[in-house]
Amino acid sequence: MAGARPRSSNADDKVAAAPGVGGLFERIIPALRLILAISLVCATVVQSRTILTKAYSIRLHAIENYGFVIHEFDPYFNFRAAQYLYDNGWDKFVRWFDYKVWYPLGRPVGTTIYPGMQVTAVWLTKSWLPVWFGVGERLFGMTVPGNAVARSAREVSMALSSPTGGGSWAMSKVASFMASAGMKWNEMSLNDVCCLLPAWFGALATLVTGMIALECSSDFRYDINDNDNDGVGGGRFGSVLDGLPLVGGYIARYSRVVRSALSLISGMDYSSGSSSPRSSFQTSSLLSMLATMFFMSIVPAHLMRSVGGGYDNESVAMFAMTSVFYAWTRSLRGVPCPPGTDKRDSGFDLPSRTRIAAARGALAGVVYFYMAASWGGYVFVVNLVAAHAASLVLLGRHSSKLHASYTAFYVVGTALATRVPVIGLTPLRSLEQLGPMLVFLGMQLVEYCERVGKRDGLSKGRLWALRFRVIGLAGAVGMVVVMLLWPTGFFGPISSRVRGLFVKHTKTGNPLVDSVAEHQAAQEGSYEQYLQIVAKLVPYGFGMVTVAFCNDASSFLLVYGMAAYYFSLKMVRLILLTAPIASVLGGMLVGRVAGWCIEGVCGWNLDLFNELAWIKGNVGIISLGKKKSKDTSKSDSKHIKDVNPTSAASTSTKPHVLAAKGFHMVFVRAAWIIVSYYLYNESLPKLNEFSEKCAQMAVGMSHPTILFKTRSQDGREILVDDYRQAYLWLGENTPEDARIMAWWDYGYQITAIANRTTIADGNTWNHEHIALLGRALTSPLKEGHRIARHIADYVLLWTGGGGDDMAKSPHLRRIANSVYRTLCPGDPTCSEFSAPGGRPTQSMAESLLFRLHSNGIIPGVNVDKNRFKEVYKSEHGLVRIYKVLSVSQESKEWVLNNRVCDAPGSWFCPGQYPPGLQKVLKEKKDFKQLEDFNAKTEADDEYQRKYFEHLSDPEKAKRRALIKEQKERGMGSDSLQNVIDSPLEPLTKEQIKLINQRWEDNEVMSTIYELIKTNQLSQLELLLENQPAIAHMRSKDGRGPMWWAHEHGRPMMIKLLKSYGVSEQLRDKDGITPLDLTSDEL
């Protein structure tokens, strides 16, 4: 097969083809090539299995250390939704209006989530896994996981077939067949399946990403002259600009010269002159797939959303997304045409090759449906495919194959996506998805012009004139349609999250979105952190594809790479999107270099299918030795010449020429051996280091936030389970209709674990409602209580320091102020609600959140016992729960009895705010996002202007707030502010000296001693942040925090106190230093 062998093989064969020996080599060399090709494929299969096993096992750290525990926040909602689907079925699921969330409004869950992941988990639990375990155990001796429960398959069949069984007829028959075959029905719990699902799909995404690399790194060498593009439209490699009008021909011509020169020097075939098709089982392609799978299996950018227990949409969506990309690139491969057939569509006929492309595009659309059902990132996927299709047209690579593939993809994918309840007609109305529609319409116009031109034999000039007329007319009609629909509000706005990806600054203008850490821009070093060494390989892989290995399929990698880099740079969460493309580009670079080395050393460019074809041709002509007819002999001879070009002309080459070429080949092989050895020794340590770093990061990413392990001072390992125990306490010690006020971050966990009603959660669908919650928590205690008594029975706070509720409180205030503008008049970022120098401002110190959070911790800060009563404090002080006193039962009953349905007898019946809150609600100003041009509220330009002004210069905003604070204090502030009084700047030596000279016993010192004795590091940190002077205070015996920290063996507390300048050389009344206590203890 032309191009399937390196040129060196021809030379080697020529030298070896001595009289009497040529026949032997004609039989031995092909056999060796076939053996090596089969060995390469087998090695690829074995190594792929090893990589997939590693991809799975590296994601199980959390399950191995903490058991089957759901992680984070959103996964708890996902699990709760999956449980509801499991218990009630699809029909009830899509009509599920949940009144335990977003009190008093509620939420229609089934129509506001992407249910693909829940459907997958329930299907695996109810159908696939029991069958897989039963068949595997019976036929293959597979070990069933210990957490699976064995049941009688016959009992399951009977239960599924009963009217109340809730099963399907098909699964009932499957269970009956398993029973008759003596198989067991092994069920795994839904919780366990949800915990393992991210690891399973992480491994599947690894496999599919490797298949993308396999597809994009294979030079298939067919579809030549597709649409008069001289092979540009097919599977042949070249430069990305080869199809560009005017210059593309020159680039392709000169690139062939360069390839021929490289072929001559290196003894390998870089040329694209052959017309013989090839398969994807090529040396470089298989090695590229393996390298890609290796990177994708452990790269932190992928691990971050696919560890065991992280039951989040992205864990399934990564598999769905890569599957769409594989199906799309596969649809662009094309189909080899038989000799003598027309490779171009003529007129308006639909040859088989176009129908095949359409079928593959439709398959990509079906896979896209699963993507759309699983994650909101489907918008990125459909726009990326559309951008790639459009770029191919602009680069002169349009073909009937491309048109058929994209048309089928868009029609099938969009039609199916609209069946997802949360999506509906969004693809036809949202500005975020109008791009793919425009590409679809534009593709039809371009294809129409191309087919008319071919049918009528139009010249290039007349063809361009036709294009201008058709596109101009369509554009005019489109403008009229848009002008008619625009005023009606038909087109939906761009969401604030998407808008934030296209503005110069890193903020969106929406303080709710801006408050989420993962929505912030990527920092310097983020790519090196999450991609490791792969980040350094990507630019070279990108350049390699651009310059020399670009075809219709691989050009997708260029579009994907640029888009992923841009969006991840804008939002750190989207670094997840870079994992597949970085792995593919890095893997293709490593795989192709490794392939070159192997081919250079062996002298053979292996392709399993071509080796089999060559053997088949040899058997038919050489081995059988049968006489053939003249025509058959010519045909077979031509076939062998294509497969193994050892032509008769080569044997007439002069001996001294053959000797010279043979010497050149020996020299080239030796050079390749040296290069291969050098690259292997240089790369192996780096790849091992990459693997070790990824393993370390996998452990770090596997810690669930809801519980964690730490070590006591004596080295014992301690499991800190405060958060989950607090939620369990709520479920066991509060009424079933209890309403829990907590910041929206914790809403999912509270509802899922405690099964109690929450005010808001991570869905964040109602900005104004969250603003009301923020106002209740950040308003002065009395005002906050007036709001809370109408909507809550308990208040739950995270109080563990670090990222607890006090650390988040400025964001809460900012969100509240975006709707209730009187909270921070003239200051959209609420700079006055802060703690400069560790000292809370007056507005923060008066807030309900601060008072409940610091109650009994900071001296002088106490809760109003007529309004709130502390009922629970976790073991390590990370959670505090207060009961709201004087709750309005009238408001509670009013909410229960005044739900408004959209139609009589409907399931969609949202709740309403009670009359007791109407006074507060009248003060709100609905938040208008910059992009919400359909909103009926008036513009909010002044608020947005000040918001961005303060964000661009936060220090200036803080100085203004400080001046305002000082003026207010000078005019006479609340007595609480006088209690919480510490200097703005770090304490001077003189101030520390004065504090050390004052020895007395008081409530403050008793509190500090208890904190150190019980090892409550986070509480001590919080206290010192607010009052750093306390670190230097001393009791009557002359001892203070540093003595107690040494006495009880608290090294972390000692380090903390040192950071505040506390000395270990001071002496108490008996002359004992803190260090002396440590020595005595030892």
Side-chain angles (χ1 to χ4, degrees):
M1 178 179 197
R5 311 278 196 241
R7 296 181 185 273
S8 57
S9 64
N10 299 342
D12 292 342
D13 292 346
K14 293 170 188 177
V15 175
V21 185
L24 178 63
F25 271 86
E26 285 181 355
R27 289 167 173 79
I28 294 179
I29 292 179
L32 290 175
R33 294 174 64 98
L34 179 61
I35 292 173
L36 287 178
I38 294 175
S39 300
L40 177 62
V41 173
C42 292
T44 301
V45 173
V46 172
Q47 288 302 315
S48 295
R49 183 180 183 277
T50 301
I51 292 172
L52 293 176
T53 302
K54 178 65 174 179
Y56 175 64
S57 62
I58 198 175
R59 289 166 167 79
L60 297 182
H61 290 296
I63 294 176
E64 293 170 352
N65 286 277
Y66 299 97
F68 290 90
V69 177
I70 302 292
H71 293 194
E72 307 299 334
F73 302 106
D74 291 5
Y76 274 93
F77 164 76
N78 295 327
F79 171 72
R80 181 167 176 261
Q83 188 69 60
Y84 189 92
L85 176 62
Y86 182 91
D87 295 336
N88 299 280
W90 176 255
D91 291 338
K92 290 185 178 180
F93 179 79
V94 295
R95 294 193 297 271
W96 176 25
F97 201 100
D98 190 1
Y99 294 106
K100 283 190 173 295
V101 299
W102 290 89
Y103 183 86
L105 307 177
R107 174 192 173 187
V109 178
T111 57
T112 58
I113 70 168
Y114 297 93
M117 182 174 60
Q118 284 79 11
V119 172
T120 301
V122 172
W123 176 75
L124 288 173
T125 304
K126 285 191 170 185
S127 302
W128 173 256
L129 289 178
V131 176
W132 174 260
F133 291 148
V135 173
E137 182 183 30
R138 178 68 174 175
L139 300 182
F140 307 107
M142 183 179 70
T143 302
V144 177
N147 57 332
V149 179
R151 296 177 57 189
S152 168
R154 191 169 304 280
E155 293 179 359
V156 172
S157 176
M158 295 175 60
L160 291 174
S161 60
S162 67
T164 59
S168 66
W169 175 86
M171 289 308 302
S172 173
K173 295 301 181 183
V174 170
S176 177
F177 172 78
M178 292 177 61
S180 61
M183 300 179 187
K184 295 180 180 178
W185 187 272
N186 297 282
E187 287 186 348
M188 188 179 290
S189 72
L190 181 63
N191 178 83
D192 293 358
V193 170
C194 292
C195 288
L196 289 170
L197 188 138
W200 291 338
F201 277 78
L204 288 175
T206 297
L207 175 62
V208 177
T209 305
M211 293 170 66
I212 295 175
L214 182 69
E215 183 68 28
C216 294
S217 61
S218 299
D219 189 0
F220 297 103
R221 299 186 178 183
Y222 47 67
D223 279 0
I224 302 170
N225 296 324
D226 189 11
N227 280 15
D228 290 325
N229 286 330
D230 194 22
V232 169
R236 183 174 305 282
F237 282 144
S239 165
V240 70
L241 301 177
D242 282 0
L244 204 63
L246 300 179
V247 301
Y250 294 100
I251 295 175
R253 186 181 308 167
Y254 289 117
S255 67
R256 283 195 289 268
V257 175
V258 174
R259 290 170 184 270
S260 299
L262 291 174
S263 175
L264 179 63
I265 296 173
S266 64
M268 296 175 61
D269 185 8
Y270 294 106
S271 66
S272 299
S274 169
S275 61
S276 301
R278 303 183 66 188
S279 75
S280 57
F281 288 85
Q282 304 165 28
T283 306
S284 295
S285 302
L286 293 174
L287 293 176
S288 295
M289 183 184 75
L290 284 178
T292 297
M293 291 176 61
F294 170 71
F295 290 139
M296 185 67 176
S297 66
I298 59 177
V299 69
H302 184 208
L303 284 171
M304 64 190 293
R305 292 287 181 170
S306 60
V307 295
Y311 184 59
D312 214 345
N313 294 76
E314 291 89 338
S315 60
V316 170
M318 286 300 292
F319 163 71
M321 182 178 73
T322 52
S323 297
V324 174
F325 294 160
Y326 172 71
W328 169 247
T329 54
R330 180 66 179 83
S331 72
L332 298 178
R333 180 193 295 186
V335 180
C337 297
T341 59
D342 187 5
K343 297 178 174 63
R344 295 168 291 176
D345 292 354
S346 177
F348 291 90
D349 62 340
L350 290 175
S352 61
R353 60 196 298 270
T354 301
R355 294 196 297 270
I356 291 174
R360 291 173 177 171
L363 179 60
V366 173
V367 180
Y368 167 72
F369 165 62
Y370 182 64
M371 173 69 204
S374 301
W375 189 36
Y378 78 94
V379 177
F380 170 79
V381 172
V382 68
N383 276 279
L384 188 62
V385 172
H388 177 233
S391 66
L392 288 177
V393 174
L394 295 176
L395 290 171
R397 294 172 176 264
H398 174 76
S399 63
S400 296
K401 173 195 64 183
L402 173 64
H403 166 261
S405 296
Y406 183 76
T407 299
F409 164 78
Y410 181 79
V411 171
V412 173
T414 302
L416 292 175
T418 57
R419 307 310 302 160
V420 180
V422 70
I423 296 177
L425 295 179
T426 302
L428 306 179
R429 303 183 59 178
S430 172
L431 290 181
E432 299 169 4
Q433 300 182 56
L434 289 186
M437 179 191 291
L438 293 178
V439 173
F440 167 74
L441 296 176
M443 193 81 74
Q444 310 313 308
L445 299 178
V446 172
E447 182 67 9
Y448 171 80
C449 294
E450 293 296 322
R451 288 179 176 266
V452 169
K454 292 174 185 176
R455 183 193 63 185
D456 300 341
L458 299 180
S459 63
K460 288 188 177 180
R462 295 181 63 187
L463 180 59
W464 275 106
L466 175 64
R467 290 170 178 166
F468 282 125
R469 288 198 304 271
V470 171
I471 295 176
L473 178 61
V477 173
M479 290 183 63
V480 172
V481 173
V482 171
M483 292 176 64
L484 292 176
L485 293 178
W486 192 280
T488 66
F490 176 83
F491 298 107
I494 300 174
S495 69
S496 59
R497 289 175 176 85
V498 173
R499 180 187 173 277
L501 300 174
F502 295 97
V503 293
K504 293 182 179 179
H505 46 76
T506 59
K507 302 295 182 179
T508 68
N510 185 334
L512 176 57
V513 176
D514 295 340
S515 68
V516 182
E518 62 184 15
H519 292 162
Q520 308 305 314
Q523 302 296 319
E524 184 178 358
S526 295
Y527 294 101
E528 185 175 351
Q529 176 185 0
Y530 289 104
L531 296 176
Q532 297 291 322
I533 193 175
V534 183
K536 299 178 180 179
L537 300 176
V538 168
Y540 299 101
F542 187 92
M544 179 188 71
V545 174
T546 303
V547 173
F549 296 96
C550 183
N551 58 19
D552 283 0
S554 62
S555 60
F556 173 77
L557 303 178
L558 306 181
V559 179
Y560 182 10
M562 290 185 289
Y565 176 72
Y566 174 83
F567 291 125
S568 62
L569 198 62
K570 286 288 187 175
M571 187 183 294
V572 67
R573 174 185 183 181
L574 298 183
I575 283 184
L576 171 74
L577 299 177
T578 66
I581 184 59
S583 298
V584 171
L585 290 176
M588 285 178 61
L589 175 67
V590 172
R592 192 158 293 280
V593 171
W596 285 338
C597 291
I598 293 176
E599 294 167 5
V601 171
C602 297
W604 297 333
N605 189 343
L606 302 175
D607 185 327
L608 178 61
F609 279 88
N610 289 339
E611 305 307 329
L612 293 173
W614 194 93
I615 292 296
K616 180 179 179 182
N618 258 357
V619 170
I621 295 178
I622 300 175
S623 299
L624 295 180
K626 294 182 179 179
K627 295 183 179 180
K628 300 177 181 280
S629 65
K630 183 176 181 181
D631 294 337
T632 305
S633 178
K634 288 182 178 180
S635 175
D636 290 344
S637 298
K638 182 179 183 302
H639 173 71
I640 294 180
K641 183 176 179 181
D642 283 343
V643 175
N644 190 16
T646 311
S647 62
S650 64
T651 59
S652 63
T653 306
K654 296 181 180 181
H656 69 275
V657 176
L658 290 176
K661 289 186 176 181
F663 177 77
H664 171 70
M665 287 300 103
V666 171
F667 175 79
V668 169
R669 301 292 168 252
W672 274 115
I673 292 174
I674 296 173
V675 171
S676 302
Y677 180 78
Y678 172 79
L679 291 176
Y680 176 80
N681 281 321
E682 287 294 315
S683 61
L684 187 61
K686 291 181 172 59
L687 293 178
N688 288 335
E689 182 183 3
F690 165 73
S691 183
E692 292 174 0
K693 286 184 178 179
C694 290
Q696 294 173 1
M697 291 194 68
V699 174
M701 292 176 174
S702 298
H703 293 306
T705 57
I706 198 167
L707 73 165
F708 56 92
K709 292 180 179 179
T710 186
R711 291 195 176 275
S712 62
Q713 300 302 326
D714 56 6
R716 291 183 298 107
E717 188 175 71
I718 299 175
L719 179 65
V720 180
D721 196 12
D722 284 33
Y723 304 117
R724 193 170 56 166
Q725 293 303 318
Y727 302 146
L728 292 173
W729 183 91
L730 282 173
E732 296 170 358
N733 297 276
T734 62
E736 290 186 6
D737 64 346
R739 304 159 299 173
I740 314 301
M741 175 183 283
W743 188 232
W744 63 264
D745 287 358
Y746 326 128
Y748 286 152
Q749 292 181 343
I750 295 172
T751 309
I753 299 176
N755 194 27
R756 293 296 180 266
T757 302
T758 57
I759 310 302
D761 55 39
N763 184 246
T764 64
W765 66 275
N766 191 319
H767 185 103
E768 287 70 27
H769 187 72
I770 291 181
L772 177 64
L773 173 60
R775 175 171 179 174
L777 291 172
T778 60
S779 294
L781 186 139
K782 292 182 180 180
E783 182 182 342
H785 178 265
R786 293 192 188 103
I787 298 174
R789 65 186 295 267
H790 291 289
I791 57 176
D793 300 298
Y794 294 86
V795 178
L796 180 145
L797 302 175
W798 276 26
T799 57
D804 69 356
D805 285 341
M806 276 310 304
K808 299 173 183 175
S809 61
H811 292 298
L812 276 61
R813 182 75 161 194
R814 197 175 298 161
I815 295 168
N817 182 70
S818 67
V819 174
Y820 298 94
R821 303 293 171 78
T822 57
L823 295 178
C824 306
D827 181 13
T829 58
C830 292
S831 304
E832 48 79 29
F833 194 89
S834 59
R839 175 181 57 82
T841 59
Q842 181 177 351
S843 57
M844 177 179 282
E846 292 176 344
S847 68
L848 179 149
L849 179 56
F850 183 85
R851 296 284 291 272
L852 298 186
H853 181 283
S854 304
N855 173 41
I857 296 178
I858 296 180
V861 180
N862 297 295
V863 68
D864 187 340
K865 296 183 179 180
N866 294 319
R867 291 180 169 82
F868 296 96
K869 176 184 177 182
E870 184 171 17
V871 293
Y872 179 83
K873 185 176 182 180
S874 64
E875 179 182 359
H876 301 93
L878 302 184
V879 182
R880 304 181 78 169
I881 300 175
Y882 291 85
K883 180 177 176 60
V884 181
L885 303 180
S886 303
V887 170
S888 174
Q889 293 298 326
E890 180 182 356
S891 293
K892 193 171 186 178
E893 294 176 2
W894 189 93
V895 169
L896 184 62
N897 298 320
N898 286 273
R899 293 168 181 163
V900 181
C901 299
D902 61 346
S906 171
W907 62 273
F908 189 86
C909 302
Q912 300 181 79
Y913 291 107
L917 287 178
Q918 293 306 312
K919 182 179 179 180
V920 175
L921 295 175
K922 288 180 180 179
E923 300 176 9
K924 74 183 180 73
K925 177 181 176 65
D926 288 346
F927 183 74
K928 180 180 183 299
Q929 298 180 167
L930 293 181
E931 73 282 354
D932 194 2
F933 47 79
N934 285 332
K936 304 302 181 182
T937 57
E938 61 184 29
D940 213 0
D941 297 336
E942 181 62 20
Y943 171 84
Q944 295 289 349
R945 184 187 66 79
K946 289 186 177 181
Y947 180 82
F948 286 115
E949 177 184 317
H950 287 205
L951 284 179
S952 61
D953 192 356
E955 294 302 322
K956 183 178 180 181
K958 289 180 180 179
R959 288 195 298 270
R960 288 177 178 175
L962 181 59
I963 293 173
K964 179 181 177 182
E965 171 77 11
Q966 291 175 339
K967 288 182 178 179
E968 291 178 353
R969 292 181 62 194
M971 295 170 61
S973 59
D974 189 84
S975 58
L976 177 63
Q977 184 62 47
N978 295 325
V979 175
I980 307 171
D981 190 16
S982 59
L984 292 176
E985 301 297 331
L987 296 171
T988 64
K989 292 183 179 180
E990 290 74 14
Q991 290 172 325
I992 293 175
K993 184 177 180 181
L994 290 173
I995 295 172
N996 274 295
Q997 290 176 352
R998 185 176 180 179
W999 297 0
E1000 62 179 358
D1001 292 333
N1002 53 40
E1003 183 181 350
V1004 175
M1005 300 309 294
S1006 299
T1007 300
I1008 296 296
Y1009 180 79
E1010 287 299 322
L1011 291 178
I1012 296 175
K1013 179 181 177 182
T1014 56
N1015 197 26
Q1016 298 189 46
L1017 177 62
S1018 58
Q1019 297 289 355
L1020 182 62
E1021 287 177 338
L1022 175 64
L1023 184 57
L1024 296 182
E1025 285 177 6
N1026 290 280
Q1027 286 187 285
I1030 291 179
H1032 302 276
M1033 294 174 62
R1034 299 165 73 175
S1035 59
K1036 275 190 176 181
D1037 60 2
R1039 296 187 179 184
M1042 184 62 80
W1043 278 266
W1044 301 328
H1046 277 275
E1047 179 182 0
H1048 293 283
R1050 311 295 189 213
M1052 296 304 295
M1053 291 184 173
I1054 294 173
K1055 184 178 180 180
L1056 174 66
L1057 293 169
K1058 285 183 178 180
S1059 68
Y1060 283 90
V1062 182
S1063 173
E1064 294 178 300
Q1065 305 300 326
L1066 298 175
R1067 298 181 181 274
D1068 64 7
K1069 67 176 184 179
D1070 297 322
I1072 298 175
T1073 69
L1075 293 173
D1076 294 335
L1077 294 178
T1078 299
S1079 300
D1080 291 343
E1081 182 71 14
L1082 293 175

